[in-house]
C-alpha cells in the first residue's frame, strides 16, 4: 500500500521553555526533527514524508534543517495550525491522491525504530487502525478537584499511548472530518477514530520511544542516545 508519514513539527514547545522550539534542538549535533525523519527514510515500507511546520518557519526549515541532511523522501513541507490536531489535519489535506495508508508520528519522538513503524503498518494494513503504546508501570489514581483520590485504576488494562499511529486513509480522513463537524478535540489521533466506534489495535511499543516534552526529557534523550552507541 502506498504509505505516507505525516510528521507534525509545528508546535512551539512551551513546556520545554527554551528560546527555540524543541523540534529544532539538537541531539549529538543533529536537530531532533532530522533524527526522527532519518528513521522513516530508512524504513522501506514508508514511501514519502510530509513535514508540518510553523507557517513562519516554512523557508528556514527547508534551508537550515532539511536541506543540509540527505532526506530523499520529504515530499512536502506543510504549514501547521494552532493545535496539534489542526497541524495533523493540514497534513491529511496535503496527501496526494494515491496515498492509501497514513502514518502520524510526532517530530519529537526521535527514538522510534523502523521495526516499530513496520509493526504498526502491518497492523493497520490488516485492521484499519493501529497505535504504538506501552503498559503503564506505575499505579494510576483518579484524583478529584479537592486533591483526594477517587479511585485506583486497574493497571492491567492501562497503556500509555505513543506514536506512530497508522490508519487506512479513509478512516483517518473521516475521523478528522467528524471531529471538525462535532467540534471534538482529542490529544491524539486514535481518539478521533475511537469515537466513531472503529476498533484500533494497540501495538506494544518501546519504553525508549519517549516524547521529548520537558527539560528532563532532554537529559533522558542524551542518556538513551549514549546507551544506543
Ligand atoms: N505540534 C504541531 N502543531 C501544533 C502543536 C504541536 O505540529 N500546533 C507537534 C509538535 O511539534 C510535536 C507534536 O505535535 O512534534 C507533539 O506535541 P507536543 O509534545 O505537545 O509539542 P508542543 O506543542 O510543541 O509542546 P507544548 O505542548 O509543550 O507547547
Ligand atoms: Mg503541545
Amino acid at each position: 500500500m502506498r504509505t505516507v508519514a505525516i510528521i507534525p513539527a509545528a508546535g512551539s514547545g512551551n513546556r520545554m521553555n527554551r528560546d527555540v522550539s524543541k523540534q529544532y534542538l539538537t541531539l549529538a549535533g543533529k536537530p531532533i526533527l532530522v533524527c526522527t525523519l532519518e528513521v522513516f527514510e530508512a524504513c522501506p515500507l514508508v514511501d514519502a514524508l510530509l513535514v508540518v511546520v510553523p507557517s513562519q518557519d516554512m523557508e528556514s526549515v527547508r534551508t537550515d534543517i532539511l536541506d543540509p541532511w540527505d532526506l530523499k523522501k520529504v515530499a512536502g513541507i506543510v504549514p501547521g495550525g494552532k493545535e496539534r490536531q489542526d497541524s495533523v489535519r493540514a497534513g491529511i489535506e496535503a496527501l496526494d491522491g494515491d496515498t492509501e495508508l497514513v502514518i502520524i508520528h510526532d517530530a519529537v519522538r526521535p527514538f522510534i525504530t523502523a521495526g516499530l513503524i513496520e509493526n504498526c503498518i502491518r497492523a493497520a494494513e490488516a485492521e484499519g487502525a493501529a497505535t504504538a503504546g506501552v503498559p503503564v508501570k506505575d499505579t494510576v489514581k483518579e484524583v478529584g478537584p479537592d486533591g483526594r483520590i477517587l479511585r485506583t485504576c486497574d493497571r492491567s488494562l492501562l497503556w500509555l499511548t505513543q506514536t506512530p499511529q497508522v490508519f487506512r486513509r479513509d478512516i483517518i480522513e473521516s475521523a478528522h472530518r467528524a471531529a471538525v463537524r462535532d467540534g471534538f478535540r482529542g490529544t491524539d489521533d486514535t481518539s478521533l477514530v475511537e469515537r466513531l466506534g472503529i476498533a484500533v489495535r494497540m501495538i506494544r511499543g518501546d519504553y525508549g520511544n519517549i516524547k521529548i516534552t520537558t527539560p528532563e526529557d532532554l537529559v533522558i534523550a542524551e542518556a538513551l542516545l549514549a546507551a544506543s552507541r
Side-chain angles (χ1 to χ4, degrees):
M1 287 177 112
R2 179 168 162 80
T3 302
V4 176
I6 295 171
I7 309 293
S12 46
N14 293 322
R15 286 170 287 177
M16 189 57 77
N17 206 14
R18 295 276 288 261
D19 306 339
V20 49
S21 296
K22 60 190 180 179
Q23 61 271 31
Y24 308 138
L25 298 174
T26 56
L27 282 178
K30 196 179 282 185
I32 289 171
L33 171 60
V34 174
C35 297
T36 301
L37 292 173
E38 282 185 345
V39 184
F40 286 85
E41 283 276 333
C43 182
L45 296 183
V46 178
D47 296 303
L49 304 172
L50 287 176
V51 188
V52 188
V53 305
S55 52
Q56 68 275 14
D57 296 352
M58 299 270 289
E59 244 343 277
S60 60
V61 165
R62 183 183 294 284
T63 54
D64 303 348
I65 312 251
L66 298 178
D67 282 355
W69 305 89
D70 194 25
L71 300 166
K72 298 189 173 66
K73 290 185 186 172
V74 176
I77 301 175
V78 178
K82 189 161 170 288
E83 289 177 41
R84 183 185 181 281
Q85 189 172 317
D86 305 310
S87 296
V88 171
R89 192 175 61 250
I92 290 169
E93 285 164 2
L95 291 169
D96 62 28
D98 301 338
T99 304
E100 297 168 283
L101 209 64
V102 181
I103 304 171
I104 298 163
H105 181 74
D106 294 324
V108 294
R109 285 188 194 270
F111 297 105
I112 181 61
T113 60
L116 181 52
I117 297 169
E118 286 174 13
N119 289 345
C120 294
I121 288 175
R122 296 296 186 210
E125 278 177 342
E127 300 186 52
T131 181
V134 285
V136 300
K137 297 182 194 177
D138 295 339
T139 299
V140 180
K141 309 280 190 185
E142 201 174 305
V143 179
D146 64 354
R148 292 208 174 94
I149 291 170
L150 295 170
R151 63 184 188 99
T152 301
C153 307
D154 177 0
R155 191 174 66 186
S156 68
L157 296 174
L158 295 178
W159 291 64
L160 298 175
T161 312
Q162 306 180 334
T163 65
Q165 300 192 335
V166 187
F167 308 93
R168 265 199 345 245
R169 183 198 186 141
D170 56 318
I171 290 177
I172 194 63
E173 278 183 341
S174 50
H176 271 265
R177 254 196 317 271
V180 169
R181 182 192 66 212
D182 304 336
F184 177 82
R185 291 276 170 187
T187 51
D188 76 338
D189 293 283
T190 64
S191 62
L192 277 55
V193 170
E194 291 156 37
R195 62 188 288 277
L196 302 184
I198 296 170
V200 181
R201 170 67 59 189
M202 179 62 81
I203 296 294
R204 200 187 165 96
D206 306 318
Y207 285 104
N209 180 25
I210 61 165
K211 182 162 76 68
I212 298 178
T213 306
T214 53
E216 61 269 23
D217 293 327
L218 280 178
V219 179
I220 297 167
E222 295 288 356
L224 286 169
L225 199 66
S228 71
R229 287 191 168 155

